[in-house]
Structure formats: C-alpha cells, structure tokens
Amino acid sequence: MFRGRWESSIMSSFVSVLFKFLLGFIGIMLISCTPVLLTINDTFDFSKYFNTFVGLLKDLADPSNWHLSNFNSSTFEKREISFLKYFKGPYLYSLSVLIISILLSFFTALILAFITMLSNRKIKKNVLQITKILESFPDFSYVFLIQMVVVQVYITTGYRILSFYSLGGNLVYVAPIVCLSVIPTLLFFKLFLLLYKEELNQPYVELAKSKGLTKVEILIWHCSPNALKSAFFQSKSIIWLTLSSLVIIEYLFGMKGILYYLRADFSPTGLTFILFSVFAPFFIFYSFVEVLVDKGNIERNVIFEKFNLPFLHKQQLRSLLKISNIRNSLSSIFMNRSSNRFKRWDIILPLLIVLGLLSISFLYTILFHDQIDQINYIYNEDGKLISRAPHPPSKNVFFGTDPYGYSILQQLLVGMKYTILLTLIIATIGVVAGYLLAIVYVFYMNNKSRKVINAIADGMHFLPLTLLVFILLNPVLINSTGVWSTTLTERLVVQILIMSIIVLPVTTSSIGNEMNETLKKEYVQNSVIMGGSLTWVIWKHINPQLWTKLVLFWTQHIVQVLQMFVHLGILSIFVGGAAYYADTPYRLKPDISEISGMIAISRDVFVTKQFWMIIPPLFVFMLLIYCFNLIADGISKKSIAKGM
C-alpha cells in the first residue's frame, strides 16, 4: 500500500513538472515571436504574429532548420551554425562561467555568513553596512573596479594577473567568473544571515543550549540544514538576477556565448532555441530537487478552492464611507500609531536625496531648457589647440565630455528626471497591477488556474529578465531608417508597458501568497464566514497587514528597474528610442538624453580607460540604488518591529 502511494505521488509530481515544462516552452515560443508583433511598420499585426508562430512550429518540426545564423566579419556573409555546434561551444562556455559563479557565490556567502554569526554585534553591524554599499554598485561596475586593480598591479609589478577580453580563440574565464559572482555573493550572504537569525530564535536552539552545545555546534548541526533548505527555495530570484548579469558580462568581455549568437540570429527559431537552452537546465534541476525534498509540504498554498464573496454590501459600504472609519483605516495603513513615526530618518533621508535629484533636474529644465553644450575643441589663451573631444574633466568642462564632445554634467542634469520618473512609473504600475491581479488570483481563481500562474512565475525565474526585455524592446526602440513612424510618447508608453508587464506573473504570485497568509488568520476567516464582502475583507483585514509589504515590493522593484535600465543602456537600448546616423551607420542617436543612455559607451571606456565618462552616471545610479535599498531595509525593520 505504501509503495503504491509513493509511486502515485511520484507520477503526480512527474505530470506536474511536465505540465510546467511544456507551459514554459510554449511561453518561450510566444515571446520569440513577439518582436514581429512590435515591429514599427507592422505594430500589433496579429495576423502576421499568428503566421510567424505557425512558421516557427514548422521550423521546429523540421530538423533541417535546426541551426543559427551568424555574421562572419571577415567575409561579410552569414553562415549557418548547427544547434549541436552551438551547444558544444558557446553554450557550454557561457553555462560553465555561470554555474561556477553561482557555486562560488553560494559557498563564499555561506562561509562569510557563518563567520559573521559568530562575530560580535559591532562587527556584524559594520559588515552589513559594507554589504549595503557594495550592493549599490550595478553589476557591470565591478568589471571596471577589478580592471583598475589589475591595471594598477600591472603598472607596479609588470605582471598581468587576469585576462579581460576574449579575442579569437582565446576564452577568458577567471575575470568573468569573479565579476559575475560579486552580486550573487552579497545576496546569498544577506539571505543566509536572515535565515540563521530566524533559526536561532527557534525553540530547539534553547533546548540545544541547555544540553551544553556550543554556538558553533548549533549552527553547524542544527541551523545549517534548515537554512540550506530554505536558501534553496529562495535562491530562484538570485538566479534570475545572475542570468541577467551574465548577459552584460558576456557583452563587456567580448565573450562569444549566448548573447553573441542571440544578437546575430534574431529569428523566432533562433530566439526560441537560445532561450530554451537557458531555461531547460535550471528548470529541470530545481524541479528534481523540489520533488526530492517534497516542496508541496513546505511552500505556502491557497487554503480555499475558490471564494464566493459578494463584492460589496450596502450596509458595509455605509460603514466604510464613514469619515471616522476612513481616517482610522488610512491611519492603520499609512502610519504606525507610534510617537516616533516621523523620526524614521533611515527612510526619510534617502527619500529626500531622491526628491532632491529630481528637483535639481526639473530646475535645470526650467532655467536652461535642457541645454547640452557640445565642445569639440578647446583652445588656450594664445589660440593653441590643447584638447579635442573627448575632453577629460577640467575647469572648462567640469565632468568632461563624451566621445562626441557633449557635456557629461549637463547630460546628467537633463537625464535624471527621465530616469527617476520612468523608474517610479514602471515600478508603480507593476506593483499596482500585481496587487489588482492578486485579488483576482486569490478570490476568483480555482486551484488549477492558480497553478498555471505559479508555473509561469516559476518559469520566469529561469529566463534572463534583461534578455527578455531586450528582445521585446529591440524592434520598438531601434530605428535603422533614421525616420520614426511612431511618436516619442508612443514609444515611451510601449516601453513602460513592456517593462511593467514582463514581471507581472512573479509580482502577482508573490502578492497573492502574502494575501493568502493573511486569509489563513482565524479572525479573517470568521469575517468571511459571517458575511463579510470582498471589499470589506480587503479594506479592513488584508490592506492593513499587506501595506508595508507592498511598499517593500515597490522599493525592491524600483531597484530592479534601475538595474534593468543600466543593462539596457549597455546593450544600446535607449529610453524613448534611438536612430542610426545617416553618415555614421554604427552610431545610435538617442531621442532624449537619459542617464542609462550614457552607459552605452561603457564597452568603449572598458577598452580606452577613459573612466571619467562612465563614473558620473555610474555614481548617480549607485546613489539611487543605495537610497532605495536603505528605504527597503527601513521598511523591513519596521515590518519586523510590528511582527508582520
């Protein structure tokens, strides 16, 4: 009997995994055809999209079409590369760098977290502060920091400790692995610290102490197994970020890996195969381990099949509309009933810095109408040429200029408002839409529908977010003709919608699970049983418990969007779009000046060592990320203090 139940459970798990796998593959095919739907001259031509999807199915069914197209720079011709050759070469190259980086990050973070937990409180505080600062650096900045160190060592000793660029058949490993592992190490480190702290507060720890076990023994034999299991289930979001970072590391190091061949072959067949090759190994690994550890008994599940609540009762509506009730509800949602609610400088100060940067940018627009000077040549008092673009920082140009002579300081002053406002809009739309869809997810969907949403959200964690956004925005924001058939407003709206919608499955699932936790509480269930309407339950019970976490989701999403802007800028996807110059076919001209667009020259700076061009926009991004990380940490502490 036991064996039969075990076999039945295994079969059920296999069917569930197979369903999610097929759903992920279909999603990849749909995404791979989407660039056709967003092409400027055929925007939202659904008949063309359908025909492209049918053509993709035919190509996948015909093995003779299983190849990628690659441009040969020596002969200026396209050549075909079989999927097998791609798999043996570029794919394994990228995957080996990625896996080694993740393993290095995981074990380094585990060891550092273990040592930190054994340290005194002052050391812990200093380590966490350093972690916050390091986490504010965009991932690509570590390429420049490490390169500076290597160059300085070479100048001092004459010895080059690392190779930084992949040329010809030379494959670089150490530098990409080191650069790629920094951010995941910081994230895993913070995760392990949190998990160890939670485990040390469990009752079994007190029992272990009473038996005379030391802290080292408790951490190794009791806390670590539970922390490792929890870390595995929470590591998907870290893998998600690392996959996006891999795309940028490949580009900066000139690695002929996944991104190189995706940019070379932008066909639906090529996109499908490359995205699927990234998705499949991680999905299979996580699914296999989840079956082994019986994830179904660990993760949070919805406790009701489907709610049948009336949307609103008239009597409850009158109660909700009473001024006193509105005031009390807003007070419970927006502020703590505490004497020090206005003394949270860890939240207020970074918020003031962000608002200050935004105000300075708007003030420059009002006073100088977004003027950006172009200085091609600088002469001394005798009329002698002393500098030509790009100019380094001097009394003539405070932050220097870019390669085309445009003032970097003025570009920053113009671009800050676009970066900050668009980031806030995208993050707000993502969280608000996720919240509204979470209500549908919890109250109007049955378990089967919820499983589909969760399957899509799980699958999203194994696809590089930057790569997906790049695929979708490339046909919208890059113009090879020099003449736009769409307005700037239309392109901005499409960009905002794409960057907001792409994360909706994950956001909806996360917020929905938080709602489920509130609905499991006894007083909420009693309210449902006693006839509480949907609006009543949401307003009186869910929102007061959920508000702080929604703000936390919002600040975390802001940081994610800022990182995404940096990645897109490196890949020459500019906010509002860019067109190729007629006289310089390899140079893109952004439609508006925005900070992430200044990051586009990062690869050139990587080679020329003209770091003054990249440091100012990098510093602004770091400052913004650091401020929103501080806000998120402040909100997290606030939630813990309230016992949420």
Side-chain angles (χ1 to χ4, degrees):
M1 182 180 295
F2 175 79
R3 183 179 178 182
R5 289 180 180 176
W6 181 79
E7 290 177 350
S8 176
S9 176
I10 292 295
M11 182 58 67
S12 176
S13 299
F14 176 77
V15 172
S16 176
V17 169
L18 183 61
F19 168 74
K20 292 180 180 180
F21 188 74
L22 292 175
L23 192 65
F25 183 61
I26 293 171
I28 288 172
M29 289 194 294
L30 293 173
I31 291 172
S32 300
C33 295
T34 304
V36 175
L37 190 65
L38 298 174
T39 302
I40 292 175
N41 295 327
D42 299 303
T43 307
F44 301 120
D45 187 345
F46 288 97
S47 61
K48 187 174 182 179
Y49 178 79
F50 177 76
N51 292 332
T52 302
F53 185 78
V54 172
L56 172 60
L57 292 175
K58 292 179 180 178
D59 287 343
L60 294 177
D62 184 1
S64 64
N65 292 321
W66 293 1
H67 58 78
L68 297 173
S69 297
N70 180 37
F71 182 76
N72 190 330
S73 57
S74 59
T75 62
F76 299 99
E77 295 179 353
K78 280 196 172 185
R79 58 181 179 180
E80 294 182 355
I81 297 176
S82 68
F83 286 172
L84 183 61
K85 187 175 181 181
Y86 162 81
F87 178 79
K88 288 182 177 180
Y91 175 71
L92 289 183
Y93 177 33
S94 294
L95 201 64
S96 60
V97 170
L98 176 63
I99 292 175
I100 294 172
S101 298
I102 293 172
L103 292 176
L104 178 64
S105 302
F106 185 86
F107 289 109
T108 303
L110 179 60
I111 294 170
L112 290 176
F114 189 86
I115 295 172
T116 303
M117 292 304 298
L118 297 176
S119 305
N120 58 46
R121 183 175 297 180
K122 185 177 180 180
I123 293 177
K124 287 180 184 177
K125 184 177 180 181
N126 291 334
V127 169
L128 287 174
Q129 189 61 39
I130 293 172
T131 302
K132 286 180 186 177
I133 296 173
L134 292 177
E135 199 177 358
S136 302
F137 284 76
D139 45 16
F140 86 98
S141 63
Y142 289 100
V143 175
F144 300 103
L145 293 175
I146 294 173
Q147 185 193 31
M148 288 180 187
V149 172
V150 173
V151 170
Q152 189 61 41
V153 171
Y154 180 76
I155 293 173
T156 306
T157 65
Y159 180 71
R160 187 178 64 180
I161 58 177
L162 287 176
S163 295
F164 273 95
Y165 208 77
S166 180
L167 294 173
N170 178 37
L171 301 180
V172 292
Y173 282 94
V174 178
I177 288 171
V178 171
C179 294
L180 185 59
S181 62
V182 175
I183 294 296
T185 299
L186 297 173
L187 296 175
F188 274 124
F189 174 70
K190 291 179 65 176
L191 176 60
F192 278 124
L193 285 183
L194 179 62
L195 293 174
Y196 274 131
K197 187 176 180 180
E198 289 178 354
E199 291 299 322
L200 288 174
N201 291 326
Q202 297 300 319
Y204 72 83
V205 174
E206 293 298 325
L207 178 61
K209 289 180 180 178
S210 67
K211 291 183 177 181
L213 294 179
T214 64
K215 190 173 183 179
V216 174
E217 291 173 326
I218 292 172
L219 286 173
I220 293 176
W221 302 112
H222 297 283
C223 296
S224 291
N226 295 331
L228 287 171
K229 185 181 291 186
S230 298
F232 171 78
F233 290 118
Q234 298 183 49
S235 64
K236 289 182 181 179
S237 57
I238 299 177
I239 298 298
W240 196 20
L241 293 174
T242 309
L243 285 169
S244 291
S245 297
L246 174 66
V247 173
I248 302 307
I249 295 297
E250 279 194 12
Y251 180 78
L252 291 176
F253 283 105
M255 296 168 57
K256 291 189 177 181
I258 294 171
L259 177 67
Y260 177 83
Y261 283 89
L262 182 137
R263 288 164 66 93
D265 188 349
F266 215 69
S267 67
T269 305
L271 293 177
T272 298
F273 178 75
I274 291 174
L275 289 178
F276 182 72
S277 68
V278 176
F279 167 83
F282 289 97
F283 177 87
I284 293 171
F285 170 74
Y286 271 87
S287 299
F288 176 73
V289 178
E290 286 169 1
V291 171
L292 285 181
V293 299
D294 194 10
K295 180 186 176 186
N297 293 329
I298 298 173
E299 66 180 0
R300 296 175 295 182
N301 293 312
V302 182
I303 58 172
F304 300 103
E305 171 66 21
K306 189 175 181 181
F307 285 94
N308 292 308
L309 299 179
F311 183 76
L312 189 65
H313 287 310
K314 291 182 180 179
Q315 184 177 354
Q316 292 173 357
L317 176 61
R318 287 195 292 268
S319 176
L320 290 173
L321 292 177
K322 286 182 180 179
I323 300 299
S324 59
N325 281 338
I326 293 176
R327 189 187 302 115
N328 291 336
S329 296
L330 291 176
S331 176
S332 65
I333 292 174
F334 289 100
M335 61 182 69
N336 289 329
R337 295 175 181 176
S338 170
S339 59
N340 64 348
R341 61 177 174 263
F342 297 112
K343 298 178 182 179
R344 294 303 306 268
W345 291 108
D346 54 345
I347 296 176
I348 295 174
L349 188 58
L351 188 59
L352 289 176
I353 292 174
V354 174
L355 293 177
L357 292 176
L358 189 60
S359 301
I360 291 171
S361 184
F362 273 113
L363 186 62
Y364 185 81
T365 301
I366 294 170
L367 296 178
F368 299 99
H369 309 289
D370 286 347
Q371 177 183 343
I372 300 176
D373 296 328
Q374 185 178 23
I375 306 171
N376 289 318
Y377 304 99
I378 296 179
Y379 300 89
N380 61 13
E381 296 177 354
D382 299 328
K384 184 179 179 180
L385 178 67
I386 59 175
S387 178
R388 65 178 64 193
H391 307 289
S394 65
K395 63 179 181 180
N396 298 304
V397 278
F398 187 64
F399 282 171
T401 70
D402 65 11
Y404 310 106
Y406 290 103
S407 167
I408 290 175
L409 175 59
Q410 291 176 325
Q411 290 184 67
L412 286 175
L413 292 172
V414 172
M416 283 190 298
K417 60 180 175 291
Y418 294 112
T419 301
I420 296 173
L421 285 179
L422 287 173
T423 299
L424 295 176
I425 291 171
I426 291 169
T428 303
I429 291 175
V431 173
V432 171
Y435 170 77
L436 296 175
L437 289 174
I439 294 175
V440 178
Y441 169 89
V442 172
F443 292 97
Y444 292 104
M445 288 185 176
N446 55 31
N447 280 336
K448 291 182 179 179
S449 301
R450 294 187 189 108
K451 286 180 180 179
V452 172
I453 298 295
N454 287 331
I456 295 172
D458 272 348
M460 286 288 297
H461 287 112
F462 309 126
L463 291 172
L465 183 60
T466 297
L467 206 55
L468 295 181
V469 176
F470 172 79
I471 291 170
L472 298 177
L473 288 180
N474 190 69
V476 178
L477 299 182
I478 293 183
N479 183 0
S480 57
T481 63
V483 179
W484 289 105
S485 60
T486 56
T487 64
L488 174 62
T489 302
E490 290 172 342
R491 294 193 298 277
L492 287 174
V493 168
V494 172
Q495 181 172 2
I496 289 170
L497 289 177
I498 288 175
M499 295 180 69
S500 303
I501 292 172
I502 197 72
V503 296
L504 272 185
V506 176
T507 307
T508 300
S509 179
S510 300
I511 297 176
N513 285 332
E514 294 296 340
M515 287 185 175
N516 290 334
E517 289 301 294
T518 302
L519 291 170
K520 290 178 182 179
K521 296 182 178 180
E522 187 174 348
Y523 69 89
V524 181
Q525 295 182 32
N526 290 336
S527 178
V528 173
I529 293 171
M530 294 177 67
S533 65
L534 175 63
T535 307
W536 178 271
V537 170
I538 292 173
W539 184 260
K540 299 292 288 185
H541 300 302
I542 292 179
N543 283 349
Q545 298 292 320
L546 190 63
W547 171 253
T548 306
K549 292 180 181 178
L550 281 177
V551 177
L552 181 60
F553 280 138
W554 181 66
T555 54
Q556 291 172 341
H557 193 26
I558 286 173
V559 174
Q560 185 183 51
V561 173
L562 286 171
Q563 293 275 18
M564 207 186 313
F565 272 137
V566 173
H567 291 173
L568 292 174
I570 292 173
L571 298 176
S572 299
I573 299 293
F574 300 100
V575 172
Y580 283 103
Y581 280 89
D583 56 341
T584 314
Y586 296 105
R587 178 188 166 194
L588 283 166
K589 180 183 179 182
D591 222 38
I592 58 175
S593 294
E594 190 269 337
I595 302 179
S596 65
M598 300 172 69
I599 304 294
I601 61 173
S602 57
R603 190 172 182 179
D604 297 331
V605 172
F606 181 60
V607 176
T608 62
K609 313 294 190 298
Q610 295 167 326
F611 294 111
W612 75 80
M613 287 187 268
I614 203 70
I615 288 176
L618 174 61
F619 175 78
V620 173
F621 270 109
M622 284 174 52
L623 183 61
L624 291 173
I625 292 171
Y626 182 68
C627 287
F628 284 111
N629 276 334
L630 284 179
I631 294 171
D633 287 342
I635 294 168
S636 298
K637 292 176 183 176
K638 198 174 179 182
S639 300
I640 294 171
K642 290 174 65 178
M644 292 179 62

